[in-house]
Amino acid sequence: MRRFVWAHAGHDAWATALEHVLAQLRAQMAMQPAHRWPLGWVYLTDHHAGHAAELLRRLSAALPQVTDWVGGVALAIGAGDTEYFDAPGLADLEPSRYRVFNGVAPLPAARGPDGFVAQTALVHADPSTPELPELIQELAERTLGHYVFGGLVASRAGSLQIAHARRAGQVGQAPSVELLEGGLSGVAFAPDVGIVARVTQGVRAVTPLRRVTAAQGHRVDALDGRPALDVVLEDLGLPPHDLGAIVARLRGLLVGWVAPAPQRPQATAATPGRVPLRLGEDVLVRHLVGLDPAQRAVVVAEPLPVGAGWTLCERHVQAARADLLRIGAEIREALAGEGEEPADPVGRIAGAIYVSCNGRGGPHFGAANAEWQLLRQALGDVPAIGFFAAGEIAHHRLYGYTGVLTVFVADEDGSG
């Protein structure tokens, strides 16, 4: 796998933006005439959703060597160090090393009829799909790595996805790329496609780590053996009878929780929960949606199991910036390797896909484009495209308020 060719443009007229993108792609491809580019990503904003079908038709007709397309329509997208309209990228990846899937042609549960085995997969999903967390987990189980990445594709135009595949042997004919709605789609990758991935959180903990000791569905009744609402008010220093102050404070907070694990430290009455919780990849962030003063309970947007770790957290600009820089440094370190002469990590990156939460971009990082500018600072000047999602996918879970960064590693021998 060689470095991706990629392009991005923004213009009120979609046809003008497309021409700018095609000019950039053609210039890069002309410099590498011997390479093939069968797999293409394309993300665009819903500002031009009404023209998406025609845009895709023209894009595929202009690039007939691209046999397979994946992507979607989102509220906002990113490329390079900019957040805006249109961002295609092309991979020089042999068709035997990936498979496009959708609801009509799902990813096989095991080795496919042509011998393909999936190690991981990029997933685009409709947020209205029933039992979506279970479907994401089931899809992850169809991969050797039990790892998928991506996000929920949602916009003012609905959930529009792209997942078109045409096998080799038909190069020279432009595929008819159509928009899909509903379910899951994406592209799976074989074990020899090098991938390094990280999840970055956009929140910081504001209360100590507690343990859910009683819960019924979405209602958490007890933390550390005490009424949950009492513990929350105590941790936040809120007066127990000032409902206005309580609601005002909780309105800006989220629940960070981690699945039960025997090795996690237990918070007890003797040790009042002052256990630091690093908001890493095992923490899932969900909305706090209500209170039950009569039962002294709190209500969360997702059912929490007894034994789960619990903390309240808030979105925080500096925490988000620091964590994005951290995962960039970790990926660069992993690619540099060890030894007296470590490799150039930027030179080893073929391309990157970044999926961020709709609630993170722009103002959350301090200014327009700030998140993608920080991503370039963290990762280097590499081909990077992606979109803002209504929920992020990593491992086998559905996240919120996170960024999922996936880097494709260039083949050492330069082969496709």
Side-chain angles (χ1 to χ4, degrees):
M1 178 165 47
R2 301 173 179 87
R3 177 159 287 205
F4 297 177
V5 296
W6 64 305
H8 51 95
H11 198 282
D12 288 341
W14 67 269
T16 301
L18 178 60
E19 285 305 314
H20 290 171
V21 161
L22 287 172
Q24 294 173 54
L25 292 176
R26 287 168 175 151
Q28 295 174 59
M29 296 166 76
M31 298 174 64
Q32 306 176 69
H35 295 179
R36 299 178 58 198
W37 309 100
L39 176 61
W41 283 267
V42 58
Y43 295 110
L44 58 150
T45 69
D46 59 7
H47 181 69
H48 295 294
H51 302 283
E54 177 63 13
L55 185 150
L56 293 172
R57 188 192 68 78
R58 292 194 192 182
L59 180 65
S60 60
L63 301 171
Q65 61 271 62
V66 183
T67 59
D68 305 314
W69 290 97
V70 294
V73 178
L75 283 172
I77 62 171
D81 58 1
T82 309
E83 301 165 12
Y84 59 152
F85 161 63
D86 191 20
L90 308 179
D92 184 14
L93 194 63
E94 288 298 320
S96 62
R97 302 175 71 185
Y98 69 88
R99 285 294 177 277
V100 173
F101 62 89
N102 54 42
V104 177
L107 185 66
R111 184 183 296 269
D114 57 359
F116 178 79
V117 177
Q119 174 70 24
T120 185
L122 167 65
V123 183
H124 304 121
D126 184 338
S128 66
T129 302
E131 300 180 341
L132 185 55
E134 291 79 6
L135 290 176
I136 293 172
Q137 182 167 345
E138 192 271 340
L139 182 63
E141 291 172 355
R142 292 174 180 241
T143 68
L144 292 179
H146 285 216
Y147 187 95
V148 294
F149 61 97
L152 306 188
V153 179
S155 72
R156 288 166 292 238
S159 179
L160 302 178
Q161 305 169 38
I162 303 162
H164 172 89
R166 187 188 71 231
R167 289 296 88 197
Q170 298 175 299
V171 175
Q173 300 176 3
S176 176
V177 182
E178 298 180 354
L179 291 164
L180 308 173
E181 294 189 68
L184 283 68
S185 67
V187 55
F189 300 97
D192 64 345
V193 177
I195 287 176
V196 181
R198 293 290 189 276
V199 176
T200 174
Q201 299 282 358
V203 297
R204 67 172 181 179
V206 296
T207 65
L209 177 63
R210 301 291 187 178
R211 190 69 48 190
V212 176
T213 50
Q216 300 180 52
H218 292 259
R219 192 182 73 192
V220 176
D221 295 302
L223 297 170
D224 295 348
R226 299 169 54 207
L229 182 55
D230 293 348
V231 174
V232 166
L233 298 182
E234 177 183 300
D235 285 345
L236 294 173
L238 293 172
H241 303 297
D242 189 344
L243 185 60
I246 294 171
V247 171
R249 181 69 177 101
L250 294 182
R251 186 178 288 121
L253 298 181
L254 303 156
V255 174
W257 72 279
V258 292
Q263 70 272 21
R264 296 193 185 282
Q266 295 290 330
T268 66
T271 60
R274 298 292 170 183
V275 180
L277 176 62
R278 178 180 176 275
L279 296 179
E281 297 189 6
D282 58 342
V283 174
L284 302 177
V285 177
R286 298 293 185 262
H287 285 286
L288 183 64
V289 296
L291 306 175
D292 187 344
Q295 300 295 325
R296 310 304 295 167
V298 294
V299 183
V300 184
E302 179 174 318
L304 301 190
V306 172
W310 160 293
T311 186
L312 292 178
C313 52
E314 63 184 1
R315 287 182 282 182
H316 190 265
V317 174
Q318 294 307 319
R321 292 175 62 88
D323 206 48
L324 183 53
L325 290 173
R326 174 189 63 82
I327 67 167
E330 287 184 1
I331 289 176
R332 290 167 64 100
E333 182 178 355
L335 295 178
E338 300 178 355
E340 295 182 359
E341 297 184 5
D344 171 23
V346 176
R348 295 195 63 199
I349 296 175
I353 301 289
Y354 184 57
V355 180
S356 185
C357 176
N358 281 332
R360 282 170 53 96
H364 181 57
F365 278 80
N369 305 317
E371 183 173 9
W372 280 78
Q373 290 172 356
L374 198 66
L375 177 66
R376 170 167 284 193
Q377 178 184 338
L379 202 58
D381 187 7
V382 300
I385 62 174
F387 65 101
F388 289 89
E392 304 76 61
I393 298 170
H395 300 280
H396 55 272
R397 305 185 184 99
L398 181 60
Y399 287 80
Y401 299 100
T402 59
V404 177
L405 176 60
T406 306
V407 166
F408 293 84
V409 184
D411 295 329
E412 293 185 5
D413 61 0
S415 65

